[in-house]
Amino acid sequence: MTPRLIFIIMPVLLILAALGELLQGPAQIPVAETIGILLHSLGMDTGADIRPWMESILLDVRLPRVIIGACAGASLAVCGAVMQGMFRNPLASPSILGVSSGASLGAVIAIYLGLTSLSVWILPAFAFSGAGITLWIVYRIATQRGHTAMGTLLLAGVAIGALNVAAASLILALSLNDWDTGKMIVYWSMGGLEGRTWDHVRLIVPFALLGCALVLCFSRDLDALLMGEVHAASVGIDVPRTRQHLLIITAMLVGVSIAVCGGIGFIGLVVPHILRLILGPRHRYLLPASALGGAICLVTADLLLRVTLPEKAIPLGVVTATLGAPFFVFLLLRQRTRGEL
């Protein structure tokens, strides 16, 4: 399948998934009215009779949920593609390397300390710090004399990730005396898009767009890193500085996604790997395709959850982990069969 065909199909799939999300809910809003309200919000006069309650539900409840899901999915998938290319390992992802759990720990600390009421930026700042510190520790453990050992990288990620989860569980145990705080931590840590507003949209969209745009500037560098650190250095790439920049960008993307959506795992593992099999390793195509694929994946997962279990409060993060964990085991067995682990 050619990249041109992929970039025609994927936006269509994203639009269909987003439209399905907008149509799904207790209040039934027909397709014609939904499209009319969307066009009217863009300043286009459709001549349709728009009811205020329909417009309020669609624009204030459902549309922010779709936008946030698309941005979070795109950010996590792009981070996965970057890490897999930077470390030359299809098993690398924000969740496997402990970055997601680090962001979650930072956010849990902010919630436990009651700092989230001070500013809307407190939660993403703590999540970004947690993701960045975790990624730096894992990278430093696995890197010796400029060389990063892949096996050590994965093991360090699992170990630090487990430590982050243990610390977050400890904070949760300490917060159970305060029912509201404990409930907030539990509900948030499971991940989901419920109750998201335009304040959350304004928080995630600038970082998602900026981070994805910056990552695209490193497409050539990531292609060179796939050939090895020596080859990348031989073509004039400052490998340590490039990795530092990419680590900061991925920490920012993961941090803001986790801060807004909670614990959403395995999107960064599954989506880039599948698209790499279809498009090949060139990051010029892989990175934008991963952004589209991650957005489609998360929006579709939320849509399926709402369609199949509309009355059950099943967290979205549980669904992505349930689907992603078996895929990770498959990749692990495949790598072991090839003798790469």
mmCIF file of all heavy atoms in Angstrom, residues 125-177:
data_model
loop_
_atom_site.group_PDB
_atom_site.id
_atom_site.type_symbol
_atom_site.label_atom_id
_atom_site.label_comp_id
_atom_site.label_asym_id
_atom_site.label_seq_id
_atom_site.Cartn_x
_atom_site.Cartn_y
_atom_site.Cartn_z
ATOM 1 N N ALA A 125 2.215 20.240 34.388
ATOM 2 C CA ALA A 125 3.604 20.515 34.767
ATOM 3 C C ALA A 125 4.179 19.362 35.579
ATOM 4 O O ALA A 125 5.313 18.915 35.343
ATOM 5 C CB ALA A 125 3.683 21.821 35.558
ATOM 6 N N PHE A 126 3.414 18.846 36.527
ATOM 7 C CA PHE A 126 3.872 17.716 37.329
ATOM 8 C C PHE A 126 3.977 16.453 36.476
ATOM 9 O O PHE A 126 4.907 15.654 36.648
ATOM 10 C CB PHE A 126 2.915 17.486 38.507
ATOM 11 C CG PHE A 126 3.271 18.262 39.739
ATOM 12 C CD1 PHE A 126 3.099 19.639 39.795
ATOM 13 C CD2 PHE A 126 3.775 17.625 40.857
ATOM 14 C CE1 PHE A 126 3.424 20.366 40.933
ATOM 15 C CE2 PHE A 126 4.112 18.335 42.002
ATOM 16 C CZ PHE A 126 3.939 19.711 42.031
ATOM 17 N N ALA A 127 3.009 16.253 35.577
ATOM 18 C CA ALA A 127 3.059 15.075 34.709
ATOM 19 C C ALA A 127 4.264 15.137 33.780
ATOM 20 O O ALA A 127 4.954 14.123 33.560
ATOM 21 C CB ALA A 127 1.766 14.979 33.893
ATOM 22 N N PHE A 128 4.534 16.311 33.228
ATOM 23 C CA PHE A 128 5.700 16.483 32.365
ATOM 24 C C PHE A 128 6.989 16.220 33.144
ATOM 25 O O PHE A 128 7.911 15.553 32.650
ATOM 26 C CB PHE A 128 5.713 17.896 31.783
ATOM 27 C CG PHE A 128 6.986 18.263 31.085
ATOM 28 C CD1 PHE A 128 7.297 17.739 29.839
ATOM 29 C CD2 PHE A 128 7.898 19.128 31.666
ATOM 30 C CE1 PHE A 128 8.474 18.068 29.201
ATOM 31 C CE2 PHE A 128 9.074 19.468 31.036
ATOM 32 C CZ PHE A 128 9.359 18.938 29.794
ATOM 33 N N SER A 129 7.056 16.724 34.356
ATOM 34 C CA SER A 129 8.252 16.508 35.177
ATOM 35 C C SER A 129 8.446 15.030 35.487
ATOM 36 O O SER A 129 9.563 14.503 35.403
ATOM 37 C CB SER A 129 8.145 17.307 36.482
ATOM 38 O OG SER A 129 8.030 18.692 36.218
ATOM 39 N N GLY A 130 7.354 14.349 35.843
ATOM 40 C CA GLY A 130 7.450 12.921 36.128
ATOM 41 C C GLY A 130 7.892 12.127 34.927
ATOM 42 O O GLY A 130 8.735 11.218 35.026
ATOM 43 N N ALA A 131 7.344 12.453 33.738
ATOM 44 C CA ALA A 131 7.732 11.754 32.511
ATOM 45 C C ALA A 131 9.185 12.029 32.169
ATOM 46 O O ALA A 131 9.940 11.110 31.802
ATOM 47 C CB ALA A 131 6.826 12.194 31.358
ATOM 48 N N GLY A 132 9.603 13.283 32.278
ATOM 49 C CA GLY A 132 10.973 13.635 31.931
ATOM 50 C C GLY A 132 11.996 13.004 32.859
ATOM 51 O O GLY A 132 13.026 12.479 32.404
ATOM 52 N N ILE A 133 11.732 13.016 34.162
ATOM 53 C CA ILE A 133 12.659 12.425 35.122
ATOM 54 C C ILE A 133 12.779 10.920 34.904
ATOM 55 O O ILE A 133 13.877 10.349 34.915
ATOM 56 C CB ILE A 133 12.207 12.741 36.565
ATOM 57 C CG1 ILE A 133 12.345 14.243 36.839
ATOM 58 C CG2 ILE A 133 13.016 11.943 37.574
ATOM 59 C CD1 ILE A 133 11.742 14.669 38.160
ATOM 60 N N THR A 134 11.635 10.264 34.681
ATOM 61 C CA THR A 134 11.658 8.819 34.448
ATOM 62 C C THR A 134 12.446 8.476 33.200
ATOM 63 O O THR A 134 13.292 7.557 33.205
ATOM 64 C CB THR A 134 10.222 8.283 34.312
ATOM 65 O OG1 THR A 134 9.526 8.501 35.539
ATOM 66 C CG2 THR A 134 10.229 6.800 33.987
ATOM 67 N N LEU A 135 12.201 9.206 32.120
ATOM 68 C CA LEU A 135 12.890 8.921 30.868
ATOM 69 C C LEU A 135 14.391 9.171 31.001
ATOM 70 O O LEU A 135 15.214 8.405 30.469
ATOM 71 C CB LEU A 135 12.301 9.791 29.753
ATOM 72 C CG LEU A 135 12.618 9.392 28.312
ATOM 73 C CD1 LEU A 135 12.241 7.951 28.059
ATOM 74 C CD2 LEU A 135 11.869 10.299 27.348
ATOM 75 N N TRP A 136 14.762 10.199 31.731
ATOM 76 C CA TRP A 136 16.187 10.488 31.930
ATOM 77 C C TRP A 136 16.859 9.382 32.741
ATOM 78 O O TRP A 136 17.970 8.946 32.409
ATOM 79 C CB TRP A 136 16.332 11.827 32.647
ATOM 80 C CG TRP A 136 17.761 12.222 32.869
ATOM 81 C CD1 TRP A 136 18.609 12.820 31.970
ATOM 82 C CD2 TRP A 136 18.526 12.037 34.073
ATOM 83 N NE1 TRP A 136 19.841 13.014 32.534
ATOM 84 C CE2 TRP A 136 19.832 12.544 33.820
ATOM 85 C CE3 TRP A 136 18.237 11.503 35.320
ATOM 86 C CZ2 TRP A 136 20.827 12.525 34.785
ATOM 87 C CZ3 TRP A 136 19.226 11.481 36.280
ATOM 88 C CH2 TRP A 136 20.510 11.983 36.015
ATOM 89 N N ILE A 137 16.199 8.908 33.791
ATOM 90 C CA ILE A 137 16.777 7.843 34.621
ATOM 91 C C ILE A 137 16.953 6.561 33.815
ATOM 92 O O ILE A 137 18.014 5.913 33.851
ATOM 93 C CB ILE A 137 15.888 7.586 35.854
ATOM 94 C CG1 ILE A 137 15.917 8.802 36.794
ATOM 95 C CG2 ILE A 137 16.346 6.334 36.604
ATOM 96 C CD1 ILE A 137 14.956 8.691 37.955
ATOM 97 N N VAL A 138 15.912 6.188 33.063
ATOM 98 C CA VAL A 138 15.988 4.961 32.258
ATOM 99 C C VAL A 138 17.091 5.065 31.211
ATOM 100 O O VAL A 138 17.876 4.122 31.003
ATOM 101 C CB VAL A 138 14.623 4.688 31.592
ATOM 102 C CG1 VAL A 138 14.733 3.546 30.578
ATOM 103 C CG2 VAL A 138 13.576 4.357 32.641
ATOM 104 N N TYR A 139 17.172 6.209 30.574
ATOM 105 C CA TYR A 139 18.192 6.412 29.539
ATOM 106 C C TYR A 139 19.593 6.374 30.134
ATOM 107 O O TYR A 139 20.516 5.786 29.555
ATOM 108 C CB TYR A 139 17.931 7.745 28.836
ATOM 109 C CG TYR A 139 18.950 8.098 27.775
ATOM 110 C CD1 TYR A 139 19.011 7.381 26.585
ATOM 111 C CD2 TYR A 139 19.843 9.152 27.957
ATOM 112 C CE1 TYR A 139 19.932 7.703 25.606
ATOM 113 C CE2 TYR A 139 20.764 9.484 26.985
ATOM 114 C CZ TYR A 139 20.803 8.753 25.816
ATOM 115 O OH TYR A 139 21.726 9.072 24.849
ATOM 116 N N ARG A 140 19.774 6.980 31.294
ATOM 117 C CA ARG A 140 21.088 6.991 31.929
ATOM 118 C C ARG A 140 21.500 5.602 32.394
ATOM 119 O O ARG A 140 22.667 5.219 32.301
ATOM 120 C CB ARG A 140 21.084 7.949 33.127
ATOM 121 C CG ARG A 140 20.935 9.414 32.747
ATOM 122 C CD ARG A 140 22.075 9.892 31.875
ATOM 123 N NE ARG A 140 23.366 9.708 32.523
ATOM 124 C CZ ARG A 140 24.534 9.879 31.926
ATOM 125 N NH1 ARG A 140 24.566 10.180 30.634
ATOM 126 N NH2 ARG A 140 25.654 9.725 32.599
ATOM 127 N N ILE A 141 20.572 4.819 32.876
ATOM 128 C CA ILE A 141 20.889 3.456 33.303
ATOM 129 C C ILE A 141 21.336 2.602 32.122
ATOM 130 O O ILE A 141 22.282 1.804 32.227
ATOM 131 C CB ILE A 141 19.672 2.810 33.996
ATOM 132 C CG1 ILE A 141 19.394 3.513 35.340
ATOM 133 C CG2 ILE A 141 19.895 1.314 34.218
ATOM 134 C CD1 ILE A 141 18.137 3.028 36.019
ATOM 135 N N ALA A 142 20.668 2.771 30.979
ATOM 136 C CA ALA A 142 20.930 1.908 29.821
ATOM 137 C C ALA A 142 22.077 2.397 28.951
ATOM 138 O O ALA A 142 22.520 1.666 28.059
ATOM 139 C CB ALA A 142 19.669 1.792 28.969
ATOM 140 N N THR A 143 22.567 3.611 29.179
ATOM 141 C CA THR A 143 23.591 4.189 28.309
ATOM 142 C C THR A 143 24.942 4.198 29.022
ATOM 143 O O THR A 143 25.060 4.648 30.158
ATOM 144 C CB THR A 143 23.220 5.627 27.906
ATOM 145 O OG1 THR A 143 21.949 5.609 27.249
ATOM 146 C CG2 THR A 143 24.256 6.194 26.944
ATOM 147 N N GLN A 144 25.934 3.687 28.323
ATOM 148 C CA GLN A 144 27.300 3.677 28.837
ATOM 149 C C GLN A 144 28.259 4.020 27.709
ATOM 150 O O GLN A 144 28.259 3.362 26.665
ATOM 151 C CB GLN A 144 27.647 2.306 29.426
ATOM 152 C CG GLN A 144 29.009 2.261 30.103
ATOM 153 C CD GLN A 144 29.274 0.914 30.753
ATOM 154 O OE1 GLN A 144 28.555 -0.046 30.499
ATOM 155 N NE2 GLN A 144 30.305 0.851 31.587
ATOM 156 N N ARG A 145 29.038 5.087 27.909
ATOM 157 C CA ARG A 145 29.999 5.549 26.911
ATOM 158 C C ARG A 145 29.333 5.829 25.561
ATOM 159 O O ARG A 145 29.853 5.499 24.498
ATOM 160 C CB ARG A 145 31.112 4.514 26.717
ATOM 161 C CG ARG A 145 31.953 4.282 27.973
ATOM 162 C CD ARG A 145 33.001 3.211 27.742
ATOM 163 N NE ARG A 145 33.780 2.983 28.969
ATOM 164 C CZ ARG A 145 34.724 2.047 29.071
ATOM 165 N NH1 ARG A 145 35.009 1.263 28.009
ATOM 166 N NH2 ARG A 145 35.371 1.891 30.198
ATOM 167 N N GLY A 146 28.146 6.441 25.637
ATOM 168 C CA GLY A 146 27.438 6.834 24.426
ATOM 169 C C GLY A 146 26.677 5.732 23.741
ATOM 170 O O GLY A 146 25.997 5.977 22.741
ATOM 171 N N HIS A 147 26.746 4.498 24.252
ATOM 172 C CA HIS A 147 26.042 3.379 23.643
ATOM 173 C C HIS A 147 24.886 2.951 24.533
ATOM 174 O O HIS A 147 25.063 2.766 25.741
ATOM 175 C CB HIS A 147 26.988 2.193 23.437
ATOM 176 C CG HIS A 147 26.291 0.959 22.935
ATOM 177 N ND1 HIS A 147 25.779 0.861 21.657
ATOM 178 C CD2 HIS A 147 26.013 -0.221 23.551
ATOM 179 C CE1 HIS A 147 25.233 -0.328 21.501
ATOM 180 N NE2 HIS A 147 25.366 -1.007 22.632
ATOM 181 N N THR A 148 23.697 2.790 23.937
ATOM 182 C CA THR A 148 22.507 2.390 24.677
ATOM 183 C C THR A 148 22.210 0.922 24.429
ATOM 184 O O THR A 148 21.958 0.514 23.288
ATOM 185 C CB THR A 148 21.285 3.240 24.262
ATOM 186 O OG1 THR A 148 21.593 4.618 24.458
ATOM 187 C CG2 THR A 148 20.071 2.865 25.083
ATOM 188 N N ALA A 149 22.258 0.106 25.471
ATOM 189 C CA ALA A 149 21.954 -1.322 25.371
ATOM 190 C C ALA A 149 20.437 -1.507 25.384
ATOM 191 O O ALA A 149 19.764 -1.108 26.339
ATOM 192 C CB ALA A 149 22.601 -2.084 26.522
ATOM 193 N N MET A 150 19.895 -2.126 24.316
ATOM 194 C CA MET A 150 18.460 -2.244 24.188
ATOM 195 C C MET A 150 17.846 -3.101 25.291
ATOM 196 O O MET A 150 16.798 -2.777 25.851
ATOM 197 C CB MET A 150 18.117 -2.839 22.813
ATOM 198 C CG MET A 150 18.492 -1.946 21.645
ATOM 199 S SD MET A 150 17.660 -0.350 21.710
ATOM 200 C CE MET A 150 19.004 0.711 22.201
ATOM 201 N N GLY A 151 18.474 -4.240 25.585
ATOM 202 C CA GLY A 151 17.948 -5.092 26.637
ATOM 203 C C GLY A 151 17.916 -4.387 27.979
ATOM 204 O O GLY A 151 16.924 -4.458 28.732
ATOM 205 N N THR A 152 18.989 -3.685 28.296
ATOM 206 C CA THR A 152 19.053 -2.936 29.546
ATOM 207 C C THR A 152 18.012 -1.823 29.562
ATOM 208 O O THR A 152 17.421 -1.522 30.606
ATOM 209 C CB THR A 152 20.452 -2.337 29.741
ATOM 210 O OG1 THR A 152 21.424 -3.376 29.652
ATOM 211 C CG2 THR A 152 20.572 -1.646 31.087
ATOM 212 N N LEU A 153 17.802 -1.207 28.423
ATOM 213 C CA LEU A 153 16.814 -0.128 28.315
ATOM 214 C C LEU A 153 15.422 -0.631 28.687
ATOM 215 O O LEU A 153 14.714 -0.009 29.481
ATOM 216 C CB LEU A 153 16.819 0.435 26.898
ATOM 217 C CG LEU A 153 15.843 1.581 26.631
ATOM 218 C CD1 LEU A 153 16.369 2.868 27.223
ATOM 219 C CD2 LEU A 153 15.617 1.745 25.134
ATOM 220 N N LEU A 154 15.022 -1.770 28.102
ATOM 221 C CA LEU A 154 13.697 -2.313 28.383
ATOM 222 C C LEU A 154 13.569 -2.738 29.843
ATOM 223 O O LEU A 154 12.557 -2.469 30.498
ATOM 224 C CB LEU A 154 13.413 -3.497 27.461
ATOM 225 C CG LEU A 154 13.273 -3.173 25.974
ATOM 226 C CD1 LEU A 154 13.102 -4.446 25.167
ATOM 227 C CD2 LEU A 154 12.082 -2.247 25.746
ATOM 228 N N LEU A 155 14.597 -3.406 30.357
ATOM 229 C CA LEU A 155 14.555 -3.852 31.747
ATOM 230 C C LEU A 155 14.508 -2.661 32.703
ATOM 231 O O LEU A 155 13.778 -2.678 33.709
ATOM 232 C CB LEU A 155 15.769 -4.730 32.051
ATOM 233 C CG LEU A 155 15.794 -6.099 31.345
ATOM 234 C CD1 LEU A 155 17.102 -6.810 31.623
ATOM 235 C CD2 LEU A 155 14.620 -6.949 31.791
ATOM 236 N N ALA A 156 15.300 -1.630 32.412
ATOM 237 C CA ALA A 156 15.279 -0.438 33.251
ATOM 238 C C ALA A 156 13.911 0.238 33.194
ATOM 239 O O ALA A 156 13.399 0.719 34.217
ATOM 240 C CB ALA A 156 16.367 0.537 32.805
ATOM 241 N N GLY A 157 13.318 0.281 32.009
ATOM 242 C CA GLY A 157 11.991 0.868 31.870
ATOM 243 C C GLY A 157 10.950 0.118 32.676
ATOM 244 O O GLY A 157 10.107 0.722 33.358
ATOM 245 N N VAL A 158 11.004 -1.203 32.622
ATOM 246 C CA VAL A 158 10.054 -2.011 33.396
ATOM 247 C C VAL A 158 10.274 -1.797 34.894
ATOM 248 O O VAL A 158 9.311 -1.648 35.670
ATOM 249 C CB VAL A 158 10.204 -3.502 33.032
ATOM 250 C CG1 VAL A 158 9.381 -4.369 33.982
ATOM 251 C CG2 VAL A 158 9.767 -3.749 31.596
ATOM 252 N N ALA A 159 11.544 -1.772 35.318
ATOM 253 C CA ALA A 159 11.844 -1.610 36.746
ATOM 254 C C ALA A 159 11.409 -0.239 37.266
ATOM 255 O O ALA A 159 10.735 -0.136 38.304
ATOM 256 C CB ALA A 159 13.341 -1.807 36.979
ATOM 257 N N ILE A 160 11.790 0.818 36.557
ATOM 258 C CA ILE A 160 11.413 2.166 36.994
ATOM 259 C C ILE A 160 9.907 2.365 36.902
ATOM 260 O O ILE A 160 9.292 3.028 37.749
ATOM 261 C CB ILE A 160 12.154 3.227 36.167
ATOM 262 C CG1 ILE A 160 13.673 3.066 36.328
ATOM 263 C CG2 ILE A 160 11.743 4.629 36.586
ATOM 264 C CD1 ILE A 160 14.160 3.201 37.756
ATOM 265 N N GLY A 161 9.293 1.770 35.856
ATOM 266 C CA GLY A 161 7.840 1.849 35.736
ATOM 267 C C GLY A 161 7.147 1.192 36.915
ATOM 268 O O GLY A 161 6.160 1.720 37.451
ATOM 269 N N ALA A 162 7.665 0.022 37.346
ATOM 270 C CA ALA A 162 7.097 -0.650 38.515
ATOM 271 C C ALA A 162 7.266 0.193 39.774
ATOM 272 O O ALA A 162 6.371 0.248 40.631
ATOM 273 C CB ALA A 162 7.751 -2.015 38.690
ATOM 274 N N LEU A 163 8.419 0.853 39.881
ATOM 275 C CA LEU A 163 8.656 1.732 41.022
ATOM 276 C C LEU A 163 7.678 2.906 41.023
ATOM 277 O O LEU A 163 7.147 3.295 42.074
ATOM 278 C CB LEU A 163 10.096 2.244 40.991
ATOM 279 C CG LEU A 163 10.538 3.130 42.157
ATOM 280 C CD1 LEU A 163 10.443 2.367 43.471
ATOM 281 C CD2 LEU A 163 11.966 3.631 41.931
ATOM 282 N N ASN A 164 7.420 3.464 39.847
ATOM 283 C CA ASN A 164 6.454 4.562 39.742
ATOM 284 C C ASN A 164 5.056 4.107 40.147
ATOM 285 O O ASN A 164 4.335 4.819 40.862
ATOM 286 C CB ASN A 164 6.421 5.100 38.313
ATOM 287 C CG ASN A 164 7.674 5.863 37.936
ATOM 288 O OD1 ASN A 164 8.374 6.400 38.792
ATOM 289 N ND2 ASN A 164 7.973 5.914 36.652
ATOM 290 N N VAL A 165 4.669 2.914 39.680
ATOM 291 C CA VAL A 165 3.342 2.381 40.023
ATOM 292 C C VAL A 165 3.240 2.147 41.526
ATOM 293 O O VAL A 165 2.208 2.440 42.147
ATOM 294 C CB VAL A 165 3.079 1.078 39.245
ATOM 295 C CG1 VAL A 165 1.795 0.408 39.739
ATOM 296 C CG2 VAL A 165 2.975 1.361 37.751
ATOM 297 N N ALA A 166 4.317 1.604 42.121
ATOM 298 C CA ALA A 166 4.312 1.369 43.564
ATOM 299 C C ALA A 166 4.182 2.677 44.338
ATOM 300 O O ALA A 166 3.429 2.759 45.323
ATOM 301 C CB ALA A 166 5.593 0.634 43.971
ATOM 302 N N ALA A 167 4.896 3.702 43.890
ATOM 303 C CA ALA A 167 4.817 5.002 44.565
ATOM 304 C C ALA A 167 3.418 5.599 44.435
ATOM 305 O O ALA A 167 2.879 6.164 45.402
ATOM 306 C CB ALA A 167 5.867 5.950 43.984
ATOM 307 N N ALA A 168 2.832 5.476 43.249
ATOM 308 C CA ALA A 168 1.471 5.994 43.053
ATOM 309 C C ALA A 168 0.471 5.220 43.911
ATOM 310 O O ALA A 168 -0.463 5.807 44.471
ATOM 311 C CB ALA A 168 1.090 5.897 41.578
ATOM 312 N N SER A 169 0.660 3.899 44.043
ATOM 313 C CA SER A 169 -0.222 3.091 44.890
ATOM 314 C C SER A 169 -0.086 3.489 46.356
ATOM 315 O O SER A 169 -1.070 3.520 47.103
ATOM 316 C CB SER A 169 0.105 1.605 44.716
ATOM 317 O OG SER A 169 -0.085 1.200 43.370
ATOM 318 N N LEU A 170 1.142 3.791 46.778
ATOM 319 C CA LEU A 170 1.358 4.240 48.152
ATOM 320 C C LEU A 170 0.626 5.549 48.420
ATOM 321 O O LEU A 170 -0.029 5.710 49.470
ATOM 322 C CB LEU A 170 2.855 4.408 48.418
ATOM 323 C CG LEU A 170 3.251 5.005 49.773
ATOM 324 C CD1 LEU A 170 2.767 4.112 50.914
ATOM 325 C CD2 LEU A 170 4.767 5.220 49.852
ATOM 326 N N ILE A 171 0.729 6.474 47.479
ATOM 327 C CA ILE A 171 0.038 7.756 47.640
ATOM 328 C C ILE A 171 -1.474 7.548 47.677
ATOM 329 O O ILE A 171 -2.187 8.184 48.465
ATOM 330 C CB ILE A 171 0.428 8.713 46.497
ATOM 331 C CG1 ILE A 171 1.914 9.072 46.605
ATOM 332 C CG2 ILE A 171 -0.428 9.974 46.529
ATOM 333 C CD1 ILE A 171 2.420 9.899 45.450
ATOM 334 N N LEU A 172 -1.959 6.619 46.843
ATOM 335 C CA LEU A 172 -3.391 6.313 46.849
ATOM 336 C C LEU A 172 -3.817 5.757 48.204
ATOM 337 O O LEU A 172 -4.866 6.139 48.748
ATOM 338 C CB LEU A 172 -3.713 5.314 45.747
ATOM 339 C CG LEU A 172 -5.148 4.794 45.710
ATOM 340 C CD1 LEU A 172 -6.132 5.937 45.512
ATOM 341 C CD2 LEU A 172 -5.316 3.748 44.608
ATOM 342 N N ALA A 173 -3.012 4.848 48.761
ATOM 343 C CA ALA A 173 -3.327 4.285 50.071
ATOM 344 C C ALA A 173 -3.366 5.371 51.139
ATOM 345 O O ALA A 173 -4.227 5.361 52.033
ATOM 346 C CB ALA A 173 -2.300 3.209 50.432
ATOM 347 N N LEU A 174 -2.445 6.316 51.047
ATOM 348 C CA LEU A 174 -2.407 7.399 52.025
ATOM 349 C C LEU A 174 -3.583 8.363 51.873
ATOM 350 O O LEU A 174 -3.967 9.045 52.829
ATOM 351 C CB LEU A 174 -1.093 8.178 51.893
ATOM 352 C CG LEU A 174 0.187 7.408 52.230
ATOM 353 C CD1 LEU A 174 1.416 8.262 51.931
ATOM 354 C CD2 LEU A 174 0.185 6.965 53.698
ATOM 355 N N SER A 175 -4.137 8.414 50.666
ATOM 356 C CA SER A 175 -5.209 9.378 50.395
ATOM 357 C C SER A 175 -6.597 8.809 50.646
ATOM 358 O O SER A 175 -7.590 9.533 50.499
ATOM 359 C CB SER A 175 -5.118 9.858 48.942
ATOM 360 O OG SER A 175 -5.404 8.787 48.045
ATOM 361 N N LEU A 176 -6.693 7.524 51.038
ATOM 362 C CA LEU A 176 -8.012 6.921 51.209
ATOM 363 C C LEU A 176 -8.786 7.517 52.382
ATOM 364 O O LEU A 176 -10.008 7.382 52.454
ATOM 365 C CB LEU A 176 -7.869 5.404 51.390
ATOM 366 C CG LEU A 176 -7.406 4.638 50.137
ATOM 367 C CD1 LEU A 176 -7.305 3.152 50.441
ATOM 368 C CD2 LEU A 176 -8.355 4.893 48.975
ATOM 369 N N ASN A 177 -8.082 8.136 53.311
ATOM 370 C CA ASN A 177 -8.778 8.813 54.410
ATOM 371 C C ASN A 177 -9.601 9.996 53.916
ATOM 372 O O ASN A 177 -10.612 10.361 54.522
ATOM 373 C CB ASN A 177 -7.777 9.291 55.465
ATOM 374 C CG ASN A 177 -7.127 8.132 56.190
ATOM 375 O OD1 ASN A 177 -7.736 7.075 56.350
ATOM 376 N ND2 ASN A 177 -5.884 8.313 56.621
#
